[in-house]
């Protein structure tokens, strides 16, 4: 049995945290002894880990400025302090501090793997959680493999740090059967109505998610007389700002903040169009889940979207990453007859490519090959 450690910052609302839980919950426990370890013991996704998965944490509470404090110690010192047990494979499941910790492993019998979820764009950004760019490059050189969640993330990372380590692309794991099952649950009465075109956005309420852009687009569509309603699923620091905009512009009947939901899929399934307005993504978990449910997508151009939806918009509409382009893209679904129906069929077709079995088997294959090298 191969003993594996997945190290992640925490198990909060983020997409990486969610897909890690999906992955480890569906791996073959007759082949792998799996431990998930967090640097900080917090986050909603911890409750969803299967009992077969060992769980550990380094610190009980989040430490403010933790990445800066961790730079006071070398990767080797951090590894010695944080990783106590022996594993066959150690996986840094997020960029930055986790990669720095795992890179500090000096045991040549232990394989090391780094998982990259988002585009870095520059060496300086990739090195933010390290003492400098030179240390970032040195740390990533110590890994046996670097896994990226999409081809665009891989190309970006290769260009940013130029680390001479084999790079692989492995798509995120979604629990497709469970998602479809949960999407069929009924929602509370009086929330969604049939006489409106329902837009939905899913994610933590952060500036980087661009939900304010969608709210402004909804205002424009409303002023033109279109029956539009935006539903946002998630919590975060931008809630008050969004709520204030809604109230100041009389959008109480057009924008609803549903907060964090244990089952977001039942709301997504009752929506007409999934919208992604993010300034940056890796390989959007929420967008993949929308495809699995069969909901059409309109998204700005961020990492992985062309890969997911096709270079020529075969499975969804991808526009340039600016507010006007997104407005024009969303408006198409209000004015072009049959467009929603067309992309609903295409979404269902593409969603089949992200089955749980396919993505988990690809990860297991890599881990076995790495262990046997």
């Amino acid at each position: 049995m191969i003993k594996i450690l997945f190290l992640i910052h925490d198990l909060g609302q983020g997409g990486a945290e969610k897909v890690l839980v999906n992955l480890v919950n569906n791996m073959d426990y007759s082949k792998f002894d799996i431990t998930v370890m967090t640097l900080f013991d917090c986050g909603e996704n911890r409750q969803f880990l299967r009992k077969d998965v060992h769980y550990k944490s380094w610190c009980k509470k989040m430490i403010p400025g933790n990445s800066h404090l961790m730079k006071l110690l070398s990767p080797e010192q951090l590894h010695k302090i944080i990783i106590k047990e022996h594993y066959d494979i150690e996986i840094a499941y997020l960029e930055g501090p986790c990669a720095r910790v795992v890179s500090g492993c000096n045991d040549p019998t232990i394989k090391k793997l780094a998982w990259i979820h988002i585009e870095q764009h520059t060496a300086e950004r990739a090195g933010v959680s390290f003492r400098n760019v030179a240390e970032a490059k040195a740390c990533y050189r110590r890994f046996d493999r670097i896994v990226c969640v999409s081809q665009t993330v891989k190309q970006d990372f290769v260009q940013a740090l130029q680390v001479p380590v084999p790079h692989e692309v492995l798509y995120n794991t979604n629990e497709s059967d469970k998602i479809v099952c949960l999407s069929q649950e009924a929602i509370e009465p009086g929330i969604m109505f049939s006489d409106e075109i329902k837009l939905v956005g899913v994610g933590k309420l952060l500036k980087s998610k661009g939900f304010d852009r969608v709210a402004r687009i909804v205002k424009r569509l409303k002023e033109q007389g279109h029956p539009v309603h935006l539903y946002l699923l998630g919590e975060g620091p931008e809630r008050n700002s969004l709520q204030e905009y809604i109230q100041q512009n009389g959008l109480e009947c057009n924008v609803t903040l549903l907060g964090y939901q244990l089952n977001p899929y039942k709301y997504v399934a009752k929506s007409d169009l999934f919208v992604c307005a993010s300034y940056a993504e890796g390989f959007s978990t929420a967008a993949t889940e929308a495809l699995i449910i069969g909901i059409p997508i309109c998204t700005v151009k961020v990492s992985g979207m062309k890969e997911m939806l096709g270079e020529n918009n075969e499975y969804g509409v991808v526009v340039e990453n600016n507010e006007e382009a997104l407005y024009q893209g969303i408006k198409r679904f209000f004015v072009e007859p049959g467009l929603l129906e067309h992309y609903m069929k295409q979404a269902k077709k593409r969603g089949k490519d992200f089955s749980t079995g396919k993505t988990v088997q690809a990860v297991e294959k890599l881990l076995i090959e790495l262990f046997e090298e």
Side-chain angles (χ1 to χ4, degrees), residues 197 224 226 328 330-339:
I197 292 184
Q224 294 165 16
H226 295 295
Q328 295 294 343
I330 292 173
K331 188 178 178 180
R332 287 183 59 195
F333 289 89
F334 287 82
V335 299
E336 294 185 26
L339 195 66

Side-chain angles (χ1 to χ4, degrees), residues 78-93:
L78 285 171
H79 189 274
K80 187 174 182 180
I81 292 169
I82 295 171
I83 312 296
K84 301 293 185 183
E85 283 191 45
H86 181 277
Y87 299 92
D88 298 308
I89 301 174
E90 293 183 9
I91 301 171
Y93 201 73

